[in-house]
Short mmCIF file of all heavy atoms in Angstrom, two decimals:
data_model
loop_
_atom_site.label_atom_id
_atom_site.label_comp_id
_atom_site.label_asym_id
_atom_site.label_seq_id
_atom_site.Cartn_x
_atom_site.Cartn_y
_atom_site.Cartn_z
N ILE A 13 78.49 -35.87 -124.79
CA ILE A 13 77.07 -35.60 -125.02
C ILE A 13 76.90 -34.12 -125.37
O ILE A 13 77.59 -33.25 -124.83
CB ILE A 13 76.23 -35.98 -123.78
CG1 ILE A 13 74.74 -35.90 -124.10
CG2 ILE A 13 76.58 -35.12 -122.57
CD1 ILE A 13 73.84 -36.48 -123.01
N SER A 14 76.00 -33.85 -126.28
CA SER A 14 75.70 -32.49 -126.68
C SER A 14 74.24 -32.40 -127.08
O SER A 14 73.57 -33.43 -127.24
CB SER A 14 76.62 -32.02 -127.82
OG SER A 14 76.43 -32.83 -128.97
N ARG A 15 73.74 -31.19 -127.24
CA ARG A 15 72.34 -31.03 -127.64
C ARG A 15 72.16 -29.77 -128.46
O ARG A 15 72.92 -28.80 -128.33
CB ARG A 15 71.41 -31.01 -126.41
CG ARG A 15 71.62 -29.85 -125.46
CD ARG A 15 70.78 -30.00 -124.20
NE ARG A 15 69.37 -29.74 -124.42
CZ ARG A 15 68.42 -29.87 -123.48
NH1 ARG A 15 68.73 -30.29 -122.27
NH2 ARG A 15 67.15 -29.59 -123.78
N ASP A 16 71.15 -29.80 -129.28
CA ASP A 16 70.72 -28.66 -130.06
C ASP A 16 69.32 -28.33 -129.60
O ASP A 16 68.36 -29.01 -129.95
CB ASP A 16 70.75 -29.00 -131.56
CG ASP A 16 70.45 -27.80 -132.43
OD1 ASP A 16 69.74 -26.88 -131.99
OD2 ASP A 16 70.92 -27.78 -133.59
N ASN A 17 69.20 -27.30 -128.78
CA ASN A 17 67.91 -26.97 -128.19
C ASN A 17 66.87 -26.57 -129.24
O ASN A 17 65.69 -26.86 -129.09
CB ASN A 17 68.07 -25.85 -127.16
CG ASN A 17 68.85 -26.28 -125.94
OD1 ASN A 17 68.92 -27.48 -125.63
ND2 ASN A 17 69.43 -25.32 -125.23
N ALA A 18 67.32 -25.91 -130.29
CA ALA A 18 66.39 -25.48 -131.33
C ALA A 18 65.78 -26.66 -132.06
O ALA A 18 64.66 -26.57 -132.56
CB ALA A 18 67.10 -24.56 -132.32
N LYS A 19 66.51 -27.77 -132.13
CA LYS A 19 66.03 -28.97 -132.81
C LYS A 19 65.51 -30.03 -131.85
O LYS A 19 65.08 -31.10 -132.30
CB LYS A 19 67.13 -29.57 -133.67
CG LYS A 19 67.61 -28.67 -134.79
CD LYS A 19 68.72 -29.34 -135.59
CE LYS A 19 69.19 -28.46 -136.72
NZ LYS A 19 70.28 -29.10 -137.50
N ASN A 20 65.57 -29.76 -130.55
CA ASN A 20 65.18 -30.75 -129.54
C ASN A 20 65.88 -32.08 -129.78
O ASN A 20 65.27 -33.15 -129.71
CB ASN A 20 63.66 -30.94 -129.52
CG ASN A 20 62.93 -29.75 -128.93
OD1 ASN A 20 63.44 -29.08 -128.03
ND2 ASN A 20 61.73 -29.49 -129.42
N THR A 21 67.16 -31.99 -130.02
CA THR A 21 67.95 -33.17 -130.37
C THR A 21 69.16 -33.28 -129.46
O THR A 21 69.81 -32.28 -129.15
CB THR A 21 68.41 -33.10 -131.83
OG1 THR A 21 67.26 -33.06 -132.69
CG2 THR A 21 69.25 -34.31 -132.20
N VAL A 22 69.45 -34.50 -129.04
CA VAL A 22 70.62 -34.78 -128.23
C VAL A 22 71.50 -35.77 -128.99
O VAL A 22 71.00 -36.63 -129.72
CB VAL A 22 70.24 -35.32 -126.84
CG1 VAL A 22 69.52 -36.66 -126.94
CG2 VAL A 22 71.46 -35.43 -125.94
N TYR A 23 72.80 -35.63 -128.82
CA TYR A 23 73.77 -36.47 -129.50
C TYR A 23 74.69 -37.13 -128.49
O TYR A 23 74.91 -36.62 -127.39
CB TYR A 23 74.63 -35.64 -130.46
CG TYR A 23 73.83 -34.81 -131.44
CD1 TYR A 23 73.50 -33.49 -131.13
CD2 TYR A 23 73.42 -35.33 -132.65
CE1 TYR A 23 72.78 -32.72 -132.02
CE2 TYR A 23 72.69 -34.56 -133.55
CZ TYR A 23 72.37 -33.25 -133.22
OH TYR A 23 71.65 -32.49 -134.10
N LEU A 24 75.23 -38.26 -128.88
CA LEU A 24 76.26 -38.92 -128.10
C LEU A 24 77.37 -39.35 -129.04
O LEU A 24 77.19 -40.28 -129.83
CB LEU A 24 75.70 -40.13 -127.35
CG LEU A 24 76.67 -40.81 -126.38
CD1 LEU A 24 76.98 -39.89 -125.20
CD2 LEU A 24 76.12 -42.14 -125.88
N GLN A 25 78.49 -38.65 -128.97
CA GLN A 25 79.66 -39.01 -129.74
C GLN A 25 80.46 -40.03 -128.95
O GLN A 25 80.92 -39.72 -127.84
CB GLN A 25 80.51 -37.78 -130.05
CG GLN A 25 81.80 -38.08 -130.81
CD GLN A 25 81.54 -38.60 -132.20
OE1 GLN A 25 80.74 -38.05 -132.94
NE2 GLN A 25 82.22 -39.68 -132.56
N MET A 26 80.62 -41.21 -129.50
CA MET A 26 81.29 -42.30 -128.81
C MET A 26 82.58 -42.62 -129.54
O MET A 26 82.56 -43.09 -130.68
CB MET A 26 80.39 -43.54 -128.73
CG MET A 26 79.04 -43.27 -128.07
SD MET A 26 78.06 -44.78 -127.85
CE MET A 26 77.75 -45.20 -129.57
N ASN A 27 83.70 -42.38 -128.89
CA ASN A 27 85.01 -42.65 -129.44
C ASN A 27 85.67 -43.78 -128.68
O ASN A 27 85.31 -44.09 -127.54
CB ASN A 27 85.89 -41.40 -129.39
CG ASN A 27 85.35 -40.25 -130.19
OD1 ASN A 27 84.73 -40.44 -131.23
ND2 ASN A 27 85.58 -39.03 -129.71
N SER A 28 86.67 -44.37 -129.30
CA SER A 28 87.45 -45.45 -128.66
C SER A 28 86.55 -46.51 -128.06
O SER A 28 86.71 -46.91 -126.91
CB SER A 28 88.38 -44.85 -127.59
OG SER A 28 89.27 -43.90 -128.15
N LEU A 29 85.62 -46.97 -128.85
CA LEU A 29 84.64 -47.93 -128.35
C LEU A 29 85.29 -49.24 -127.94
O LEU A 29 86.26 -49.70 -128.56
CB LEU A 29 83.57 -48.18 -129.41
CG LEU A 29 82.53 -47.07 -129.53
CD1 LEU A 29 81.79 -47.17 -130.85
CD2 LEU A 29 81.56 -47.13 -128.36
N LYS A 30 84.74 -49.82 -126.89
CA LYS A 30 85.21 -51.08 -126.34
C LYS A 30 84.10 -52.12 -126.40
O LYS A 30 82.93 -51.76 -126.41
CB LYS A 30 85.65 -50.89 -124.88
CG LYS A 30 86.70 -49.82 -124.65
CD LYS A 30 86.95 -49.62 -123.16
CE LYS A 30 87.99 -48.56 -122.91
NZ LYS A 30 88.22 -48.35 -121.46
N PRO A 31 84.45 -53.40 -126.41
CA PRO A 31 83.40 -54.43 -126.40
C PRO A 31 82.42 -54.27 -125.25
O PRO A 31 81.23 -54.58 -125.42
CB PRO A 31 84.19 -55.73 -126.29
CG PRO A 31 85.50 -55.42 -126.95
CD PRO A 31 85.78 -53.99 -126.57
N GLU A 32 82.87 -53.80 -124.10
CA GLU A 32 81.98 -53.63 -122.97
C GLU A 32 80.98 -52.49 -123.14
O GLU A 32 80.07 -52.32 -122.32
CB GLU A 32 82.77 -53.43 -121.66
CG GLU A 32 83.84 -52.36 -121.75
CD GLU A 32 85.22 -52.93 -122.00
OE1 GLU A 32 85.35 -53.83 -122.86
OE2 GLU A 32 86.18 -52.48 -121.34
N ASP A 33 81.12 -51.70 -124.21
CA ASP A 33 80.13 -50.69 -124.54
C ASP A 33 78.92 -51.27 -125.26
O ASP A 33 77.94 -50.55 -125.49
CB ASP A 33 80.75 -49.58 -125.40
CG ASP A 33 81.83 -48.80 -124.67
OD1 ASP A 33 81.63 -48.48 -123.48
OD2 ASP A 33 82.86 -48.49 -125.30
N THR A 34 78.99 -52.52 -125.63
CA THR A 34 77.89 -53.17 -126.34
C THR A 34 76.63 -53.15 -125.48
O THR A 34 76.63 -53.63 -124.35
CB THR A 34 78.25 -54.61 -126.70
OG1 THR A 34 79.35 -54.60 -127.63
CG2 THR A 34 77.08 -55.32 -127.34
N ALA A 35 75.56 -52.60 -126.03
CA ALA A 35 74.30 -52.48 -125.29
C ALA A 35 73.25 -51.86 -126.20
O ALA A 35 73.56 -51.37 -127.29
CB ALA A 35 74.48 -51.62 -124.04
N ALA A 36 72.02 -51.88 -125.71
CA ALA A 36 70.98 -51.05 -126.30
C ALA A 36 71.04 -49.69 -125.64
O ALA A 36 71.04 -49.58 -124.41
CB ALA A 36 69.61 -51.69 -126.09
N TYR A 37 71.11 -48.66 -126.45
CA TYR A 37 71.21 -47.29 -125.94
C TYR A 37 69.86 -46.60 -126.08
O TYR A 37 69.26 -46.58 -127.15
CB TYR A 37 72.29 -46.52 -126.70
CG TYR A 37 73.69 -46.89 -126.27
CD1 TYR A 37 74.23 -48.12 -126.61
CD2 TYR A 37 74.46 -46.02 -125.51
CE1 TYR A 37 75.50 -48.48 -126.21
CE2 TYR A 37 75.74 -46.38 -125.10
CZ TYR A 37 76.25 -47.60 -125.44
OH TYR A 37 77.52 -47.96 -125.04
N TYR A 38 69.42 -46.01 -124.98
CA TYR A 38 68.11 -45.37 -124.91
C TYR A 38 68.25 -43.88 -124.63
O TYR A 38 69.02 -43.47 -123.76
CB TYR A 38 67.25 -45.99 -123.81
CG TYR A 38 66.92 -47.45 -124.04
CD1 TYR A 38 67.75 -48.46 -123.55
CD2 TYR A 38 65.78 -47.82 -124.73
CE1 TYR A 38 67.46 -49.79 -123.76
CE2 TYR A 38 65.48 -49.15 -124.94
CZ TYR A 38 66.33 -50.13 -124.45
OH TYR A 38 66.02 -51.46 -124.65
N CYS A 39 67.49 -43.11 -125.35
CA CYS A 39 67.43 -41.68 -125.15
C CYS A 39 66.33 -41.35 -124.14
O CYS A 39 65.27 -41.97 -124.15
CB CYS A 39 67.15 -40.99 -126.49
SG CYS A 39 66.95 -39.20 -126.40
N ASN A 40 66.60 -40.37 -123.29
CA ASN A 40 65.64 -39.92 -122.30
C ASN A 40 65.54 -38.40 -122.34
O ASN A 40 66.54 -37.71 -122.52
CB ASN A 40 66.06 -40.38 -120.90
CG ASN A 40 65.25 -39.73 -119.80
OD1 ASN A 40 65.70 -38.77 -119.16
ND2 ASN A 40 64.06 -40.25 -119.56
N ALA A 41 64.33 -37.90 -122.18
CA ALA A 41 64.12 -36.46 -122.14
C ALA A 41 63.09 -36.13 -121.07
O ALA A 41 61.97 -36.64 -121.11
CB ALA A 41 63.65 -35.93 -123.49
N ARG A 42 63.50 -35.29 -120.12
CA ARG A 42 62.56 -34.80 -119.12
C ARG A 42 61.90 -33.56 -119.70
O ARG A 42 62.52 -32.51 -119.82
CB ARG A 42 63.28 -34.49 -117.81
CG ARG A 42 62.33 -34.25 -116.67
CD ARG A 42 63.03 -34.32 -115.33
NE ARG A 42 62.06 -34.44 -114.26
CZ ARG A 42 62.36 -34.53 -112.98
NH1 ARG A 42 63.63 -34.53 -112.60
NH2 ARG A 42 61.40 -34.63 -112.08
N THR A 43 60.63 -33.72 -120.05
CA THR A 43 59.95 -32.79 -120.92
C THR A 43 58.75 -32.17 -120.23
O THR A 43 57.94 -32.86 -119.63
CB THR A 43 59.49 -33.49 -122.21
OG1 THR A 43 60.61 -34.15 -122.82
CG2 THR A 43 58.88 -32.51 -123.19
N VAL A 44 58.62 -30.86 -120.36
CA VAL A 44 57.41 -30.16 -119.96
C VAL A 44 56.52 -30.07 -121.19
O VAL A 44 56.91 -29.46 -122.19
CB VAL A 44 57.71 -28.76 -119.40
CG1 VAL A 44 56.40 -28.06 -119.01
CG2 VAL A 44 58.64 -28.85 -118.21
N VAL A 45 55.35 -30.69 -121.13
CA VAL A 45 54.48 -30.73 -122.29
C VAL A 45 53.83 -29.38 -122.50
O VAL A 45 53.67 -28.58 -121.57
CB VAL A 45 53.43 -31.85 -122.17
CG1 VAL A 45 54.11 -33.19 -122.03
CG2 VAL A 45 52.50 -31.60 -120.99
N ALA A 46 53.39 -29.14 -123.73
CA ALA A 46 52.82 -27.85 -124.11
C ALA A 46 51.31 -27.80 -123.97
O ALA A 46 50.68 -26.87 -124.47
CB ALA A 46 53.22 -27.51 -125.54
N ASP A 47 50.73 -28.79 -123.32
CA ASP A 47 49.29 -28.80 -123.06
C ASP A 47 49.00 -28.33 -121.65
O ASP A 47 49.73 -28.64 -120.71
CB ASP A 47 48.73 -30.22 -123.24
CG ASP A 47 48.92 -30.74 -124.64
OD1 ASP A 47 49.10 -29.94 -125.56
OD2 ASP A 47 48.89 -31.98 -124.81
N TRP A 48 47.91 -27.59 -121.49
CA TRP A 48 47.48 -27.16 -120.17
C TRP A 48 46.66 -28.25 -119.50
O TRP A 48 45.76 -28.81 -120.14
CB TRP A 48 46.66 -25.87 -120.26
CG TRP A 48 46.29 -25.36 -118.92
CD1 TRP A 48 45.10 -25.52 -118.28
CD2 TRP A 48 47.13 -24.61 -118.04
NE1 TRP A 48 45.14 -24.92 -117.05
CE2 TRP A 48 46.38 -24.36 -116.88
CE3 TRP A 48 48.44 -24.14 -118.12
CZ2 TRP A 48 46.90 -23.65 -115.80
CZ3 TRP A 48 48.95 -23.44 -117.06
CH2 TRP A 48 48.18 -23.20 -115.92
#
């Protein structure tokens, strides 16, 4: 897993994939909103 803070983007490089990796993958971000 890696991230680019300037782009607010997270990546997941998945190598040597196995059948048991089959799934729906969801991104999560714990975010402080910019509204007061």
Side-chain angles (χ1 to χ4, degrees):
I13 189 170
S14 61
R15 64 187 286 177
D16 186 333
N17 292 337
K19 297 180 179 179
N20 288 327
T21 299
V22 64
Y23 307 92
L24 186 68
Q25 178 65 48
M26 304 186 294
N27 299 326
S28 301
L29 283 162
K30 304 174 180 179
E32 50 262 44
D33 295 318
T34 296
Y37 284 72
Y38 296 90
C39 177
N40 169 260
R42 192 164 195 180
T43 306
V44 179
V45 301
D47 299 338
W48 184 262

